[in-house]
Amino acid sequence: MATGTDDPLDHGAARARLLDGPGPAGSARRAALSALTDSWLTGLLAAAGAPAGVALVAVGGYGRGELSPRSDLDVLLLHEGPLDPALPERIWYPIWDTGTALDHSVRTPAEARAVAAADLKAQLGLLDARHIAGDPALTAGLRSAVLADWRARAPERLPELRDLGRERAERHGELSFLLEPDLKEARGGLRDVVALNAVAATWLADAPRDGLDAAALRLADVRDALHLATGRATERLSLQEQDQVAERLGVLDADTLLRQVYEAARTIAYASDVTWRSVDRVLAARSGRGRRSPRLSFPFTGAGRGAGAVARGAVERRPLAEGVVEQDGEAVLAQGARPATDPVLPLRAAAAAAQNGLTVSYATVRRLAAECRPLPVPWPDEAREQLVTLLGAGEACLPVWEALEAEGLITRLLPDWERVRCRPQRNAVHRWTVDRHLVETAVRAAGMTRRVARPDLLLVAALLHDIGKGWPGDHSEAGEVIVRDVAVRMGFDRESVETLAMLVRHHLTLVDTATRRDPDDPATVEAITKVVATVPQLELLHALTEADATATGPAAWSRWRASLVDGLAARVAAQLAGGYPRPADDEPTAEQERLAVEAARTGGPALSLLAQAEVAAQAEASARPGAADEPGTEPMGVRLTLAVPDRPGLLGTVAGVLALHRLTVRSAGLRELDPIGAGPVLLLSWTVAAEFGELPEAARLRADLRRALDGSLDVSRRLAERDAAAPRRRGIPTPPPVVAVAPAVASATATVLEVRAHDAPGLLHRIGRALDGAGVRVRTAHVSTLGADAVDSFYLTDDAGRPLAAQRAGEVAAAVRAALG
């Protein structure tokens, strides 16, 4: 190997031996190639007769000692004072003669700094300046000056750097999802690693380093293999070259290669997200725009990582959920949170963050991954509800999901996720990897939750509909087997498990039938009715079909396809219309009958409060044979049973008192009883959960219920005052509420009003007040909160106990719609 010579033949032969021989690979080969090039350029500078006060400096990737086989040489000829105009050419021409791509410049230190001040890309290259030959003091002086300039101007240059990254992402896409990714320029590529190092050089913030260096090395190795396989200086990993690149790297096949590339890119992209949020906080604090609260402040506990942590006296922390608060625009753990004893905390934190348009802080996700125990099997009801709430946040779910996945929390919750994680889809119709397609489908489904009676099943089916793609055979058949197991582990009841299995097994059936069969043939409708037995099941399959297609890509869904699917769904719905389901009423329990008798005799309210453990014990004692074996039967929170002689406005009043005590209604039922023949008694059964984990005192709740019922407590006024005093929170877009009158077949004795809306404090109170103001009787009510969605049915009559006339029912629906805004 030639060293210290300007002979291009010697250099070329040595370079060929290094690249084609059995020598080092990976980072060792890149370093050796850089050292070999240094030696060659040192000889060229000496042969050119360079005087004192001249230095040859490597910048950019060459400056970092990371020369790939076909990389350009980025070289700066640095000088002080006058310079012979012919000197640069005596250095550059021998390089050009070998066919090597050269990016060169000739400048004084002052000129180099001026160019860097005006050109961010030039400044980034100079941050990696490395001395090759000549006067080392000249290079050292330039490096010190450039770093000082970079740190001094960081507040104005860092936003420019972030904008450059965003522009690259818009042009080149996200590396972790592209079938033919640009390894350098796409989001999550090697250019982002350079940006992260530049941020670190400011001393204001640093990237999370776990796995980052390994990810960068992996992408660099793939680029080396790509250069050697193609013989070109290309950064795009095209389909026709992936097999060759995989073979050169000793990887099983092209799919395995892409999965490794995607995993590396996600590590880099997540590190970038964390870093830029840290930069935003630091710059906001320096400019005086940081979040402060003179009334509610806590000591800053250093939840962020890196050198960018800025000491502050107090930071605003607003509660989001039990054990979770907002701080500096992120969800973090409350000071009293105990991850080691709260396995639901990761999902609760994720759901609270997504529903408030936030993400979970890096330090919080790391702590949750390190300290939280796995969820018990079956999951507690709260865990399932929090997962549904997370998915129901739509677009706001994505950054939270990525944060959980970066620390392995997703595969801990869903072990089957590992087989689809970063799995490429070699189909031009698909925009995403399998796992991202599943999350994107859930995002689309979140906008369709008002179309179905079970939004929780829609969202979970969307998340799992392609889970079988990690297994051999038909992915729908494999997915059905997997989802049965997953749904049981999540704690769904048997009927819900069967519905989820049907949705996953047949998620392509509706669109395939609509586009391949004659819509006017009765056999076409029959093919679907063999799959779905009820209108609610059809609604779920219809929504899942659309969410799946729209999440796949533009080519998978069109107006033509949508019209065919909608038309077939309408025909099937007409066929199934006679089987409109009505929620079943269980027989009253002994405790409910006792309260009803007490209310009827005294003429006042009678109530009982049971904690979750007491409810579970009663349920087990009175369960039908085999019921104790069913997953998911244990209720969440506290059971409140209230019996009151019939009176107007009861539902809204009680709901308002619960909202005042920050109790979230998970489910509720209202029915009429006449236990002693003295007149109807309304029996309300509520399952409620404390918003922040602390239940109110039972005596105080009882007292407030009695005061509200006798009129001495103005619930609406108190709620309005509290809402007005509360700080405004960032919201997320949610589908508008749907208030509709069900078809007449829903009930022969009442008008059924269906309300589907985003759950919010006081929602049921507003609905109850609207119904009371409309002058109708609520004979029966069935209230469910599924994740972040409320799905309620109210059986209404007039004063004579008859169903409402069509016009009257429409007026009542309009009044409720107006109350919900």
Side-chain angles (χ1 to χ4, degrees), residues 621-637:
S622 61
R624 65 186 184 279
D629 298 328
E630 292 186 9
T633 57
E634 183 178 343
M636 292 171 54

Side-chain angles (χ1 to χ4, degrees), residues 17 34 63 70 102 116 136 186-187 203 297 313 318 358 487 523 532 581 602 659 671 713 727 730 767 776 783 802 811:
R17 287 194 299 272
S34 297
R70 295 289 175 176
L102 177 67
R187 181 176 181 265
W203 292 349
S297 60
R318 295 190 297 173
L358 310 170
V532 296
T602 63
R671 63 196 298 183
L713 173 62
R730 179 187 346 196
I767 296 173
V776 295
V783 175
R802 299 183 300 255
E811 293 170 352

Side-chain angles (χ1 to χ4, degrees), residues 347 350-351 354-355 384-398 401 414 417 438-439 441-447 449 455-456 458-464 490 787-789:
L347 281 172
Q355 286 292 327
R384 188 176 63 254
E385 291 290 324
Q386 296 294 356
L387 174 64
V388 172
T389 302
L390 169 62
L391 298 175
E395 291 283 349
C397 166
L398 290 173
W401 190 274
L414 303 171
W417 195 260
L438 293 175
V439 181
T441 303
V443 167
R444 301 303 191 282
T449 52
D456 56 333
L458 173 61
L459 292 168
V460 173
L463 182 69
L464 300 176
M490 285 182 175
D789 294 296

